[in-house]
Structures are given as C-alpha cells and as structure tokens.
Amino acid sequence: MKHLSCFLVLFLTSGVGSFDLVIDEIPDEVENLIDLEIDGVPSSSKMRNGRYQRSTSDWGYVGDLVEDDDKIGLYSYKVQSTITSRLANTMIQAKMVNNAKRSQHIVFDVQVPKGAFIDNFTMDVNGITFTSKIREKSEARKMYSQAKAKGKAAGIVRSNALDMENFQTEVNVPPGTRIQFELHYHEMIRRKLSSYEHLISVKPGRLAKHMEVDVRIIEPQGLRYVHVPNSLGDHFDGITTISKGEKKAHVSFKPTMAQQRKCPTCSSTAVDGNFVVQYDVNRETTGGELEIFNGYFIHFFAPENLDPLPKNILFVIDVSGSMWGLKMKQTIEAMKAILSELRAADQFSLIDFNHNVRCWRNNLVSATPAQVEDAKKYIQTIHPNGGTNINEALLRATFILNEAQNLGMLDPNSVSMIVLVSDGDPTVGELKLTTIQKNVKQSIKDEFSLFCLGIGFDVDYDFLQRIATDNRGMAQRIFGNQETSAQMKNFYNQVSTPLLKKIQFNYPQESVSDVTQSSFHNYFGGSEIVVAGKVDTENLQHLESVVTATAANAELVMETLRDVEELDGFMKKDKYADPEFTRKLWAYLTVNQMLAERNTAPTAALKRNITKSILQMSLDHHIVTPFTSMLIENAEKDEIMLADQPKDPRRGCCPGTLGLTPNAPNNNKGIPAWANVTAVPVSFMPEQRSPPVSSLSINRVDNDPHFIIYLPKSQRNICFNINSDPGKILNLVSDPGTGVVVNGQLVGAKKTENKKLNTYFGKIGFYFKNKGLKVEITTETITLKDGSYGITLTWSDTGHIIRKQLLISVKKESNVTITVGEEMSFMVLLHRVWKNHPVNVDFLGIYIPPENQFSPEAHGLIGQFASEPEVYIHHQRPGQAPGKPQATMEVKGNKLTVTRGLQKDYRTDRVLGTDVQCWFVHNSGKGFIDGHYKDYLVPHLYSFLKKP
C-alpha cells in the first residue's frame, strides 16, 4: 500500500462554519512553503506509516459502482433532514471508494445554507474514525500544539466567517481505500412570502449506487400545505413522494441509478441542484403561537389580516461601468416591474450613481400613475459607465428621507426604506468600507431601514450584509444571469408590504428569563417574527404575551397563549421530533443576536463581555462560532485536526486566518527570482539598448497607469500610458490557449489636477479558466475563489495559499506573487498613500515576466507582446525637452515618433522607485499596440477579450 510522504490538512471556507479539509501531496518545489505557523501553531503535518488500515466496517456488496475515468466510486449519498417547529436538523453522508491503482483525490463537496450552525463532522478512512468536539479557541490550539510537539499526526483546520456556503473536503487517499464523510448542521427555517422553504443542496458529482433525500416535518400548529417544486428539473418528474398528515409530513426522493443518469447511456449524473421543500402552518386569527417545551418557549408571530402601511422608498441604483450589459438590462426590467407595484399611498424617488450621483427627483413624490410612468422612462435612459461612489449615493438618499421627515411630509404610520442595488466595491470618493458604514449609520439614525441587493459573484456581499443589518434591513445576493430580474422582484416582494412597525413583545417577568430580541422595527406581510426564552415551569399559568405595535389605523394589542400539556404530549409521542428543538432555537437566536450586538458595541468592555457570553453559549451548545474551535481526532487521539473560525478580514472579529505567518521571517523560498530583484544602477545611454533593471527584465504596469514592455530579442523597453475613466476595466492578458485572463479596473484620484483626473489600478483580477480559479486583488484584500468556495486575506497578513497547484504568496503591506507551476507567475505591488492625502488614492501595480509561457493566441495590452514584434529605432535626434531625445520607431508597419525618457520600477523601492530607460510611445500607445486602447475595455473583471 502506498503511503504519502507528507500531507497538508487545511479547512478553508467561504462561509460561517463551513470547512475545506485538504489532505494533499505537496510538490517538492513548494513543500517548504507549507510549514507555516499561525499564532504559534504549525499548519502542516507528516503522514505516519500505518495510518490507513483495512476497513473493519461492513458496507455490504460494493460492486456495480459506476466510476468516472478517475475510478472513484460513490457507494451511497444520503441526506436526512428533520424539521421540528421550524428547526431543521440535517445530516449529509457520502460513502466513496478509490478503485484506481494509484493514490488520488476523493472530494466531499456540499453546500451549507447561510446562517446554519455546523455541530458535528465525522470521517472514517478504512476503519479509522475521526470525531469532533468543541473547545475554546486557545485551549484547542494548545491541545493541537501539544499533539504536534509529541510527534503525533496533526493537521490545521480553518473556517472563515464570511458568507457560509461551501463545505468541501478533499482527501488524497491510497488505492483501495474506502472513506465515509458525515456532516451535521442545524438551522431555523425562515418564512418568506407566506411560505417556509427548506433548501438542501444535492450535488453528488457522480452516479451513486444508493441515493436518498429524506425530509420529515413535524409542526404542532398543523400543516396548511406541503409542496416540493421540481427544482432538480423535469428529469425527475414523479420520483418524489409526499405523505402529509394533519401535523406531520414525510418527503422522500430516491432515484435509482438508472434514473440518476443524464441519458440512458450516460455515465454522468443529472442530480445537480437544490432539493426544495415548501410548506406553511395553520394560524390563529391573532397570528401568534406560543410553544413551551422542556423549559423554553418559542413565540412565532405572523399576523396576516392587516391593511398595509404606506411606505416611503428610495431606490439607489449602481450604474457604473461594471453594470454594463445583461446586469443593467435585467435591473431595468426588474425596476420597471417593481415601480408598477407601488401603491397609491406610497411615496418614492430614484437615485442612480457611478462616480457621480443623480436624482430623478430631489424629493419624494406620490406614486401616481403619471409619476411612475415618468420614472420608468428615466430608468430606460440609463447607460452604465464610470466608477462607483456608494458613500455619496447612500448619503444623498438618507438626506432626502431625513429632510422629508423634518418637513412633516411623511405619514406618522408610514415605513421609510432605502433599497440599494450594486455590483461592486466603491472605486470613487470614500473607499474605506468601515467609514462608509459609519457615515450611513450616523445619517440614518435608526429612523428607517436599508436593504441591499448585491449583483454578481464579485460583489462584496459581506459589506452589504453588514451595512444592511446595521440599519434594520437585510441583504441578498443576486446572481448576474438571465434570472436577475426575477430574483430582484422576489426580494422586493419580501419588503413591499409592511403591516406593522415598532413591534414590542411583553412577557411576565415572573415566568420567563433570557428572552431574545423582543422589539422589532417592522413586520412585513408573509414573513414571521420569532422570540424565544427560558420559562419557569412553576409559573406557566401566568405565561402569556402581550404584543403592541403600530398598525395602519390604530395601536394594535394582541394576546397569545399555548396549551402546554397538548404540545408536550404530541412531541413525546413522535420518534422523529427533536426533543431539544426549543433549546436549539433559543440558542440559535441568542448567538446570532449577540454576534450582531458585538459588531455595534460602543465600548471595548461591552464587546469583551458579549464575546464571553458567545463563547459560553458555543461551548454549551456544541457549535463552531468565531470564538470556538472544533477538535477532530481519531479514537486513539494520536491524529488530531483543528477547526475554527478566524476573523472576517474586513470585520476584525477574532484571531486566526488560513496559512498566515504574522511575524515569520521572509526567506522568500519558492518565490520567483524576478519578484525579489536587487536594483542595478542604470546610467543614461541614449544611443545604446536598454540595460535591464535586474537580472530578469519584466513587463509592468504601474502608477497612473504607465506600461513598460520589455522586448527580450531587441533588449529594449517600450513605454506608453493609458488614460481612461474610473471604473473602466482594461484587459492586460487574454489567452484562450492557456485559459488565463488578467484584467485591471481603474480607480480615480480624489480630485482633478491641471484639469485632469488621474486614474490608477484599484483592482486586478486573474482568471485561470482551466483550474476554475479566480483571484481578485484590491488595495484592501486578496481573495481566491474556486466556484462557491473562497478565502480572503488582507494586506496586513504574510503567508501563502495553495489551491490546485496555484501558489499565492502575500508579503505584508508590500506585494502578492501568484505562481502557476513552472509555466507562469505574476506580481502585484501595493502602493499606499498618506491616509488624508487631498488628491491621491491607494493603487496597485502589476509586473509580468516575459518568460511566462503564454500561447500564440495570447493578446491584451501586455499579452500581445508574448509574440515579440520586430522593432527598428533609428534617426535619433534632439527632442523638444533637454535630455529627452526623439527617434523614429518602425513597428507593425507603422512609423512613430518616440521620445527617450525614464519610467519607474517600484519592486525594490515602493516610494521612490528605480529609474528605467525606455522609448515612450505617445497617444496611448497608438501604432505600438494593436488597434485603439478602447478595444481593450472589457465588461467584467474576469472577461476574456473578444476577438475583433
């Protein structure tokens, strides 16, 4: 049996509580990069001989497995989910086997709903079982360090508190190995548009001999309906079965292997999507239901028979250049439909923004048919271009609402809100996200709500979620595709019917304690408010809730009460019901509430106290939060892994991030030589060819932006500048042959100088299509994306990320190097300016060595020079400026007048730079580059350049 000489174990994440376990052979050339320490804890470990043993468990007959070319068979894929009074406990289990004659990857990849709590993960490798337990973060790290110090096999496991979506486990195993993964998580099912929707991601990736999705629903209030839409496609018509009783339901989906096939002769699976169960419960006329069980109460509140409150709504729409194309078309279509749904009692206005902010009306107007029609015509004229000034747009919207309120123009019973639609980060005006968040919070003053729609995969959804939650609203990610319009309308429908405002729940203090949030800003039709707390069983006769709220016409008062004995008897008779559902729901609501309160705590002392409470709750209820770690170990406790949730790099929650070495020495091992140049003094020799700035010359784009193209054959540097608008995206490399794209998005200076607005690269995107990897580098963060998986580092970190043989190396506040095997590498340099500089902004430079192995199809402002053109420079003569001679350059059939001068290389000196001699081509490189520079503008950060 083959044993691995070394392995790396990492849990990476793109969401709260999501993990990525990697046990992977590391190439020799990068092995020395993996032995990092994070807060003193090493992140690599060695495989011990004898780790893999023959399974002692019995899977039964495993023949007839359908294998892909990789010879990996999926024996079974099982999902079991039980919903007890809106609490869903879900288990996903996969059993796989490597039938190849070589060691290879086995991947367990599932989507975990945003907001769920992962509470258990187990893995069985040929009879060796790994189980989990929760510990306080520092204690867990200490146990991990002790295991490592004693020579025990140990791995580092990380999860990142961004927007919980992906759980991916990737294990490199020897031939013949059987492996079983099992993941458990729980969540509260939220009500939207008068329906509870339980979504389970079912993406096994291959045919399974045994496939099953089993969902049971237990609702003491009684089930009004249960519906399973055909979300997996027409291929599976008639396979799902639904059994519904008065208070219980059972949903089963068990396709045979033949039914899973995409076609009768296909070896690939058609099971690839979300399995969705929708239902609703019966309700009392008051809309309130108080359930008491095992020492806790849960209060569900969803009144329906109320008249809607009038609303004052401002739509704030991003019309920057990145919204160009389908996203803008779909946004316009959705906005026209949304405007048609405004009620006569509503007031509204529109703001569209790029680097400037425009108002359709400078004040709110009534939603009359004439005004609505005029607003639709206005939207139709929008043409996206320029940068993104989110700060000024939101402040303009809050000013309009505040002014209307101060002038007494708003109905006291009305609800005011802002709906922001954007697809990107700010590139103009205030760029610091925390400052924007603070500005908006101070301007809104808790008087109205902010809702955010983030369009596309590149949007900083975490920021939108924070700023919305901070201002009594919510956020939703909208994927930029043909369904954008429908998704936007669906989101609007969730907030379009406010029924109550200023809702307050009052419970008798002698009966309850530790009540979760009990006051709410708004209640929207079709949703539900949930309050939970502990209950004194000796005073149940006193337990009732008095709810006060502002309704359309009067102050609303409701009383609700539940028959406790009836619920107790019902739950104990059902073997599938979770007897801990009230405790888990209370903990779920409490932890989420405390996390939100911690983010807005006004003092450090209060924040510390909240942190302690979250920690204790996490330990008591066995859940991974930003302050706990999950230890995963085998029965002998001689192999141990550590799972925790490091800080979101933009929020500063708590310590620890993947692969970082905060104080590690910079030995630069494994970093390309060109990225660590030593400057060589260059003398001015106008008649000679350009000596390189180092032993390795390079193509580079830096400053505002200056291009320097090094031509190895002629040993010349040719320079040109590109002047375009903020928000525009320039293609630097587009190579269909290797599947590599490099694009840069421009950001503008804070103001013009000499009637010119300088632009710089504020964001650079790399797309490695063949690997399915995207890397986005801004002046704040470095993000690696692999489908829905993602990990983000900040410029305050030093460390490395390895994914699919792509190495990202970050040097704190300096540069990022991306290395793709031995074929190519790139370096991005960070330029920081004085924080309060009146004009300049932070920006990026990019350096690309000419040795990169691009294909003959490569193009782009830099990529086209992978095939070096013939350049002939002659007739050198004095120029208009002293010391800057001119010459005639013949290239690509053109005769150009060029000027000799100096440009800067900032790799060795990021402040002053190193002088580089070059021949400067005027008019944005016209005649030297193919076509016009505008031919290199692309709509998205990861777009290939379209062929002319």
Side-chain angles (χ1 to χ4, degrees):
M1 181 177 294
K2 178 181 177 182
H3 294 282
L4 305 181
S5 59
C6 66
F7 66 93
L8 170 69
V9 185
L10 293 172
F11 268 7
L12 318 174
T13 99
S14 63
V16 177
S18 74
F19 309 94
D20 175 16
L21 171 64
V22 182
I23 303 180
D24 195 2
E25 289 179 301
I26 304 303
D28 293 338
E29 64 269 19
V30 296
E31 180 180 344
N32 58 342
L33 295 178
I34 308 306
D35 196 13
L36 306 176
E37 291 189 357
I38 303 174
D39 293 338
V41 181
S43 65
S44 66
S45 59
K46 299 291 182 181
M47 180 72 73
R48 294 192 312 116
N49 289 334
R51 170 189 163 129
Y52 292 105
Q53 304 171 5
R54 285 297 173 188
S55 176
T56 58
S57 62
D58 183 13
W59 284 8
Y61 177 61
V62 296
D64 298 331
L65 291 184
V66 175
E67 302 164 348
D68 290 346
D69 294 338
D70 56 15
K71 298 295 183 182
I72 292 176
L74 178 58
Y75 175 71
S76 75
Y77 192 91
K78 181 185 295 184
V79 180
Q80 292 180 341
S81 190
T82 301
I83 304 171
T84 309
S85 277
R86 285 63 140 195
L87 178 79
N89 290 292
T90 302
M91 182 274 292
I92 302 178
Q93 181 194 80
K95 296 180 179 180
M96 309 176 80
V97 60
N98 177 17
N99 287 325
K101 295 181 179 180
R102 66 187 189 282
S103 296
Q104 59 178 337
H105 293 287
I106 288 184
V107 177
F108 174 59
D109 193 349
V110 298
Q111 297 290 313
V112 179
K114 220 171 1 180
F117 284 150
I118 291 177
D119 49 44
N120 196 15
F121 173 69
T122 61
M123 181 174 68
D124 185 293
V125 183
N126 271 9
I128 297 178
T129 301
F130 291 81
T131 57
S132 62
K133 57 186 177 183
I134 301 295
R135 292 288 185 269
E136 187 271 330
K137 187 183 293 286
S138 60
E139 178 190 351
R141 288 180 174 179
K142 182 178 179 181
M143 294 173 67
Y144 168 84
S145 298
Q146 290 173 346
K148 180 67 176 177
K150 293 177 181 178
K152 297 179 180 179
I156 201 82
V157 181
R158 296 291 184 207
S159 81
N160 197 337
L162 290 179
D163 80 331
M164 177 186 176
E165 289 176 346
N166 209 52
F167 181 109
Q168 187 179 70
T169 307
E170 185 177 343
V171 184
N172 196 355
V173 295
T177 298
R178 298 176 183 180
I179 187 164
Q180 174 179 306
F181 304 98
E182 190 169 297
L183 174 71
H184 293 254
Y185 63 87
H186 64 268
E187 59 178 322
M188 188 177 80
I189 308 299
R190 299 283 186 178
R191 189 169 186 255
K192 298 178 182 178
L193 301 176
S194 301
S195 177
Y196 299 99
E197 184 172 275
H198 183 37
L199 185 149
I200 302 170
S201 177
V202 186
K203 298 182 179 182
R206 59 189 68 222
L207 295 172
K209 184 176 181 181
H210 301 285
M211 161 73 70
E212 178 181 5
V213 178
D214 189 90
V215 180
R216 295 185 180 273
I217 306 173
I218 302 104
E219 287 287 357
Q221 283 184 244
L223 290 166
R224 190 159 67 89
Y225 69 84
V226 176
H227 174 59
V228 179
N230 198 9
S231 55
L232 290 174
D234 297 337
H235 187 92
F236 300 103
D237 272 348
I239 296 179
T240 301
T241 61
I242 304 174
S243 303
K244 177 185 172 296
E246 181 184 353
K247 298 181 179 181
K248 304 176 187 179
H250 180 213
V251 177
S252 179
F253 174 72
K254 294 179 68 174
T256 64
M257 189 175 289
Q259 290 170 330
Q260 294 170 45
R261 297 179 188 272
K262 284 187 175 180
C263 67
T265 59
C266 292
S267 61
S268 56
T269 180
V271 182
D272 184 18
N274 295 322
F275 187 81
V276 179
V277 178
Q278 298 171 336
Y279 72 95
D280 200 11
V281 299
N282 299 321
R283 302 188 185 282
E284 304 290 340
T285 55
T286 61
E289 178 80 5
L290 199 63
E291 296 184 354
I292 305 163
F293 191 69
N294 277 355
Y296 295 86
F297 79 87
I298 309 294
H299 189 177
F300 302 103
F301 183 74
E304 294 291 329
N305 300 320
L306 299 169
D307 293 329
L309 297 171
K311 58 182 178 288
N312 316 298
I313 185 167
L314 266 165
F315 299 98
V316 182
I317 305 170
D318 183 348
V319 296
S320 61
S322 56
M323 287 286 288
W324 179 85
L326 182 61
K327 282 193 283 190
M328 195 73 254
K329 180 181 178 182
Q330 294 276 315
T331 299
I332 290 173
E333 179 184 330
M335 283 304 307
K336 290 166 68 177
I338 288 170
L339 289 171
S340 296
E341 296 178 8
L342 291 173
R343 301 181 181 88
D346 295 337
Q347 297 187 91
F348 79 106
S349 189
L350 300 168
I351 292 176
D352 62 290
F353 70 97
N354 45 29
H355 49 284
N356 295 314
V357 177
R358 296 191 308 166
C359 298
W360 167 67
R361 297 284 188 270
N362 288 319
N363 54 281
L364 295 170
V365 299
S366 296
T368 63
Q371 295 283 19
V372 168
E373 196 60 34
D374 191 68
K376 290 180 182 179
K377 292 178 181 178
Y378 176 81
I379 289 177
Q380 199 69 48
T381 65
I382 290 175
H383 297 290
N385 65 83
T388 308
N389 193 341
I390 292 178
N391 184 67
E392 186 176 339
L394 287 177
L395 293 184
R396 183 75 61 88
T398 59
F399 173 80
I400 291 174
L401 283 175
N402 282 324
E403 185 179 45
Q405 180 167 298
N406 294 337
L407 295 175
M409 298 171 59
L410 305 183
D411 184 333
N413 289 337
S414 65
V415 171
S416 298
M417 64 181 75
I418 296 170
V419 177
L420 169 67
V421 180
S422 180
D423 77 330
D425 292 339
T427 61
V428 178
E430 179 56 61
L431 302 179
K432 192 173 182 180
L433 300 183
T434 53
T435 301
I436 296 174
Q437 185 176 349
K438 180 179 178 181
N439 291 344
V440 173
K441 176 72 173 176
Q442 290 177 343
S443 185
I444 286 181
K445 303 173 185 175
D446 291 333
E447 292 296 327
F448 37 90
S449 300
L450 170 63
F451 300 95
C452 297
L453 281 168
I455 298 182
F457 295 92
D458 302 327
V459 67
D460 188 346
Y461 177 70
D462 178 69
F463 165 66
L464 296 182
Q465 193 171 45
R466 288 201 316 274
I467 199 171
T469 304
D470 206 21
N471 292 285
R472 302 174 181 271
M474 61 181 179
Q476 183 167 316
R477 188 195 299 274
I478 302 294
F479 298 103
N481 52 31
Q482 296 291 343
E483 302 299 320
T484 296
S485 179
Q487 293 175 67
M488 288 180 64
K489 287 184 283 188
N490 181 278
F491 178 82
Y492 172 75
N493 288 337
Q494 295 178 43
V495 301
S496 63
T497 311
L499 299 182
L500 298 171
K501 62 183 289 188
K502 298 180 180 177
I503 306 109
Q504 178 65 51
F505 293 80
N506 300 289
Y507 304 94
Q509 294 184 0
E510 64 271 21
S511 301
V512 303
S513 62
D514 296 330
V515 178
T516 60
Q517 180 180 351
S518 58
S519 61
F520 299 84
H521 196 58
N522 296 312
Y523 166 72
F524 296 97
S527 65
E528 182 175 62
I529 293 175
V530 184
V531 183
K534 296 179 180 178
V535 65
D536 182 356
T537 54
E538 296 181 0
N539 290 297
L540 288 181
Q541 66 273 18
H542 301 299
L543 181 55
E544 63 182 17
S545 172
V546 176
V547 186
T548 60
T550 301
N553 300 313
E555 189 80 3
L556 182 71
V557 179
M558 298 182 177
E559 294 184 3
T560 57
L561 184 64
R562 178 68 183 168
D563 187 338
V564 179
E565 293 182 2
E566 178 188 345
L567 176 64
D568 191 67
F570 171 76
M571 286 297 181
K572 289 181 178 177
K573 289 179 182 177
D574 193 287
K575 65 178 182 179
Y576 295 105
D578 184 354
E580 299 290 324
F581 83 96
T582 51
R583 181 184 66 84
K584 289 181 179 178
L585 281 172
W586 173 79
Y588 180 93
L589 293 169
T590 301
V591 170
N592 278 290
Q593 179 183 329
M594 288 192 294
L595 286 169
E597 290 174 351
R598 185 184 182 280
N599 287 335
T600 57
T603 65
L606 179 57
K607 182 171 286 190
R608 283 194 298 271
N609 289 335
I610 297 174
T611 300
K612 290 179 182 177
S613 299
I614 297 172
L615 171 60
Q616 192 59 53
M617 286 283 295
S618 305
L619 297 173
D620 292 344
H621 297 273
H622 199 269
I623 52 178
V624 178
T625 66
F627 310 103
T628 54
S629 296
M630 178 181 283
L631 284 171
I632 303 169
E633 57 190 4
N634 62 355
E636 291 77 20
K637 301 186 185 302
D638 61 356
E639 297 191 46
I640 187 170
M641 291 172 284
L642 173 67
D644 66 24
Q645 291 186 333
K647 67 180 178 181
D648 171 341
R650 287 178 287 265
R651 291 172 63 177
C653 176
C654 39
T657 305
L658 165 75
L660 305 184
T661 319
N663 299 306
N666 179 24
N667 55 22
N668 295 320
K669 292 181 180 179
I671 309 300
W674 62 267
N676 295 293
V677 300
T678 300
V680 177
V682 178
S683 59
F684 182 64
M685 297 177 291
E687 73 284 0
Q688 299 293 329
R689 298 195 172 166
S690 303
V693 71
S694 70
S695 58
L696 277 168
S697 290
I698 194 165
N699 299 317
R700 64 207 74 132
V701 190
D702 218 321
N703 219 323
D704 60 340
H706 301 317
F707 287 72
I708 307 177
I709 304 299
Y710 176 68
L711 304 177
K713 293 180 182 178
S714 59
Q715 296 184 23
R716 299 185 189 277
N717 288 315
I718 309 298
C719 309
F720 59 91
N721 293 347
I722 296 292
N723 296 310
S724 191
D725 298 324
K728 296 291 187 182
I729 301 175
L730 292 170
N731 175 255
L732 306 179
V733 177
S734 178
D735 187 3
T738 60
V740 174
V741 167
V742 184
N743 293 323
Q745 186 171 32
L746 297 172
V747 61
K750 295 176 182 177
K751 64 180 181 180
T752 60
E753 280 191 320
N754 300 321
K755 298 182 180 181
K756 175 191 173 186
L757 180 68
N758 288 330
T759 55
Y760 312 84
F761 281 135
K763 182 185 296 185
I764 295 175
F766 298 83
Y767 180 29
F768 302 95
K769 184 178 180 181
N770 297 341
K771 295 178 177 291
L773 299 179
K774 296 177 179 178
V775 180
E776 177 185 299
I777 301 177
T778 72
T779 56
E780 298 293 331
T781 58
I782 303 97
T783 301
L784 169 70
K785 301 177 184 178
D786 184 357
S788 57
Y789 160 93
I791 181 169
T792 299
L793 278 66
T794 70
W795 282 100
S796 61
D797 302 321
T798 292
H800 312 286
I801 305 172
I802 296 178
R803 184 79 169 176
K804 296 180 179 178
Q805 303 303 311
L806 181 141
L807 168 65
I808 301 176
S809 301
V810 182
K811 185 177 180 182
K812 182 177 180 179
E813 294 295 333
S814 178
N815 61 68
V816 173
T817 305
I818 300 174
T819 308
V820 189
E822 298 180 355
E823 293 79 36
M824 58 184 69
S825 53
F826 309 87
M827 186 171 78
V828 175
L829 201 65
L830 173 66
H831 294 275
R832 292 280 192 220
V833 299
W834 171 42
K835 182 178 180 180
N836 297 317
H837 197 289
V839 178
N840 296 336
V841 295
D842 295 345
F843 64 95
L844 304 171
I846 180 168
Y847 294 73
I848 305 175
E851 291 78 14
N852 277 357
Q853 298 175 24
F854 296 122
S855 77
E857 300 176 67
H859 209 265
L861 287 167
I862 293 177
Q864 63 186 287
F865 299 104
S867 301
E868 182 176 333
E870 292 290 336
V871 174
Y872 176 46
I873 298 177
H874 59 90
H875 192 209
Q876 184 171 310
R877 53 197 181 272
Q880 296 179 353
K884 292 186 177 182
Q886 292 184 339
T888 299
M889 181 170 77
E890 295 186 34
V891 59
K892 299 180 179 180
N894 302 311
K895 285 188 176 182
L896 310 174
T897 298
V898 294
T899 303
R900 184 71 160 173
L902 298 174
Q903 293 285 13
K904 296 288 187 180
D905 184 309
Y906 289 95
R907 286 175 293 162
T908 56
D909 188 335
R910 289 187 300 128
V911 179
L912 300 177
T914 302
D915 288 337
V916 177
Q917 295 178 3
C918 67
W919 287 105
F920 184 81
V921 181
H922 303 273
N923 300 319
S924 298
K926 185 177 181 181
F928 179 61
I929 63 173
D930 295 338
H932 192 275
Y933 86 86
K934 290 186 178 179
D935 299 334
Y936 299 87
L937 295 175
V938 291
H940 307 294
L941 196 61
Y942 305 111
S943 297
F944 279 87
L945 187 66
K946 291 184 179 180
K947 294 182 179 179

